[in-house]
């Protein structure tokens, strides 16, 4: 039995696999962000960078579960419609659009960081809201910073390729009562995992992680931007005044 077929037999395993895809792509974005702005982060040792990558995953999973909340809900409903081809097509494109936008946001921050020395926050929308030639600026961005454009396109391609490698298959059910009971019981399990991922942990004393928590994983505040990801920064600053 191939790994593809083995994974496909359990829709919750497929769900975990697809969330891990986005986590992997976010990590590639972080590495790309660091390399593209290498001269702005002098003195980062190999050990420090691996610590940053480890810490970054906490912020990535928080952003990823928020980005994919609709995708997750549509996959865990305990009804067989989730195996329907049309339903799965709708779910797939929700995944591609939401995560594709998130990857593009990370990519654009490769360049934006050079001008503001921080990850983009929610106020970025106000910054560009009064631009009358936004379409021309966007096109110029794509051309002038073509390495970022190519990396983003590659990550989109990788996302689609890896997503399509595993497709959920409706299992053969011998005991429907046990089958549906397990599927219903998995809902609170997924919800609990979602809450822990979104908050950045389960410690009672720990509030949901914020941008300031990224300082735990760096030697100097300058390197905090490497730990963070752009969707997380925007989510955490939406509706708040950012200095």
């Amino acid at each position: 039995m191939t790994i593809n077929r083995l994974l496909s037999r359990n829709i919750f395993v497929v769900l975990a696999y697809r969330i891990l895809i986005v986590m992997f792509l976010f990590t590639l974005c972080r590495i790309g962000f660091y390399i593209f702005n290498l001269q702005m982060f002098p003195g980062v040792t190999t050990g420090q960078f691996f610590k940053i990558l480890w810490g970054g995953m906490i912020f990535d999973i928080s952003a990823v579960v928020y980005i994919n909340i609709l995708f997750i809900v549509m996959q865990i409903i305990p009804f067989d419609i989730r195996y329907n081809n049309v339903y799965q097509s709708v779910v797939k494109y929700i995944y591609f659009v939401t995560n594709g936008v998130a990857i593009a946001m990370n990519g654009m921050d490769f360049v934006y960081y050079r001008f503001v020395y921080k990850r983009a926050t929610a106020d970025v929308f106000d910054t560009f809201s009064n631009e009358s030639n936004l379409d021309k600026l966007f096109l110029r961005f794509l051309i002038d910073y073509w390495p970022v454009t190519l990396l983003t396109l590659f990550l989109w391609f990788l996302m689609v390729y890896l997503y399509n490698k595993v497709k959920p298959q409706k299992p053969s059910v011998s005991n429907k009562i046990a089958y549906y009971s397990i599927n219903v019981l998995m809902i609170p399990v997924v919800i609990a995992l979602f809450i822990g991922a979104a908050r950045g942990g389960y410690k009672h004393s720990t509030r949901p992680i914020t941008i300031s928590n990224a300082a735990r994983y760096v030697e100097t505040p300058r390197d905090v931007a490497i730990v963070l990801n752009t969707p997380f920064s925007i989510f955490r600053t939406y509706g708040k005044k950012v200095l």
Side-chain angles (χ1 to χ4, degrees), residues 177-198:
I177 295 178
Y179 170 75
Y180 286 109
S181 297
I182 291 173
N183 276 270
V184 170
L185 290 173
M186 281 299 296
I187 294 176
V189 173
V190 174
I191 292 174
L193 291 173
F194 178 96
I195 293 172

Side-chain angles (χ1 to χ4, degrees), residues 112-133:
Y112 188 69
Y113 177 80
R114 295 183 172 187
F115 297 95
V116 297
Y117 298 98
K118 67 174 183 177
R119 284 282 186 168
T121 52
D123 60 358
V124 71
F125 300 111
D126 295 329
T127 302
F128 293 101
S129 62
N130 296 321
E131 290 288 346
S132 58
N133 59 338

Side-chain angles (χ1 to χ4, degrees), residues 8 23 25 31 62 80 111 117 145 151 179-180 186 191 212:
S8 298
M23 290 289 293
L25 296 176
I31 295 171
S62 179
D80 287 344
V111 179
Y117 298 98
Y145 300 102
L151 176 61
Y179 170 75
Y180 286 109
M186 281 299 296
I191 292 174
S212 62

